Amino acid sequence: ELKVEQNPLFLSMQEGKNYTIYCNYSTTSDRLYWYRQDPGKSLESLFVLLSNGAVKQEGRLMASLDTKARLSTLHITAAVHDLSATYFCAVDLRGTASKLTFGTGTRLQVTL
Amino acid sequence: NAGVTQTPKFRILKIGQSMTLQCTQDMNHNYMYWYRQDPGMGLKLIYYSVGAGITDKGEVPNGYNVSRSTTEDFPLRLELAAPSQTSVYFCASTSVGQGPFGYTFGSGTRLTVV
């Protein structure tokens, strides 16, 4: 059974600081996704990581994937209040069927 | 394009009542999914479909049923609603074998069972 773990579960950080969210998964996979969710809203796709060593950046967010370590990171650079949200990683085991397994999420609060 | 459309957005059910959550996509995606999200948690897969006429159970299927008669529609049926089914339900779709590997989520249905 695939397990996806995120840490930390809650992160309070000051504006301007850097931090990293970690996503570990238990089974070999070739696709990892990062989503953002604002309170009461649906999921917004941030990154799709398709291969070992993949790195993608958008604004103050950068995601990377190490398939050998079964680890993905979401790095936040110089956080701003607008980044406050819950961030989920999800792993896609494509084989006979494609299904996403989600982590429990990291609630990020950026304070002034 | 509307993407993935879910109705209703909110619903309150009494224990023992039944209802159908509707999900429609206009992207010609072959795969469709139903997830539930409990407060402060990640999404858990209820059922999924790899094409019209084909459905399968996910991680938490008990108390739910699905059907997929067309590519576009994937309704989720709740029979005999229970308080444990209070949750936010998300429908999603993707195209497998066609790229570009992303999943599209609907806006969600917030269900309360009292």
Side-chain angles (χ1 to χ4, degrees), chain A residues 33-93:
Chain A
Y33 300 77
W34 283 97
Y35 292 93
R36 168 182 171 144
Q37 186 179 40
D38 293 303
K41 302 295 186 181
S42 186
L43 281 77
E44 173 190 352
S45 179
L46 294 174
F47 300 107
V48 181
L49 302 170
L50 300 177
S51 61
N52 186 43
V55 177
K56 291 197 173 180
Q57 183 163 5
E58 181 74 33
R60 300 176 188 273
L61 300 178
M62 183 175 71
S64 66
L65 178 62
D66 181 344
T67 57
K68 293 180 182 178
R70 298 176 187 170
L71 171 69
S72 179
T73 61
L74 181 66
H75 186 73
I76 303 155
T77 301
V80 293
H81 181 70
D82 285 352
L83 290 179
S84 297
T86 299
Y87 293 84
F88 291 96
C89 65
V91 176
D92 186 352
L93 278 181

Side-chain angles (χ1 to χ4, degrees), chain A residues 3-11 20-24 33-37 43 74 85-91 101-109, chain B residues 37-44:
Chain A
K3 292 190 184 300
V4 181
E5 295 182 346
Q6 283 181 243
N7 68 82
L9 298 183
F10 179 74
L11 176 57
T20 300
I21 299 170
Y22 297 88
C23 174
N24 291 90
Y33 300 77
W34 283 97
Y35 292 93
R36 168 182 171 144
Q37 186 179 40
L43 281 77
L74 181 66
T86 299
Y87 293 84
F88 291 96
C89 65
V91 176
T101 300
F102 282 82
T104 50
T106 296
R107 185 174 155 221
L108 172 65
Q109 184 176 53
Chain B
Q37 184 180 30
D38 297 328
M41 302 296 289
L43 280 68
K44 292 184 185 259

Side-chain angles (χ1 to χ4, degrees), chain B residues 12-76:
Chain B
I12 298 175
L13 275 184
K14 293 185 178 179
I15 294 172
Q17 287 186 321
S18 301
M19 76 165 294
T20 299
L21 282 66
Q22 302 291 345
C23 175
T24 299
Q25 55 92 7
D26 62 357
M27 298 168 286
N28 200 33
H29 284 172
N30 47 357
Y31 281 42
M32 295 186 73
Y33 309 82
W34 276 105
Y35 289 89
R36 61 176 285 173
Q37 184 180 30
D38 297 328
M41 302 296 289
L43 280 68
K44 292 184 185 259
L45 182 63
I46 305 171
Y47 270 96
Y48 66 99
S49 168
V50 302
I54 306 170
T55 63
D56 206 349
K57 296 177 181 179
E59 185 182 359
V60 290
N62 291 346
Y64 307 94
N65 279 300
V66 294
S67 59
R68 184 125 180 246
S69 56
T70 66
T71 300
E72 296 79 18
D73 300 307
F74 190 40
L76 177 71

Side-chain angles (χ1 to χ4, degrees), chain B residues 76-94:
Chain B
L76 177 71
R77 178 82 176 163
L78 277 73
E79 305 281 1
L80 300 175
S84 61
Q85 293 177 305
T86 294
S87 190
V88 180
Y89 293 82
F90 290 101
C91 180
S93 69
T94 191

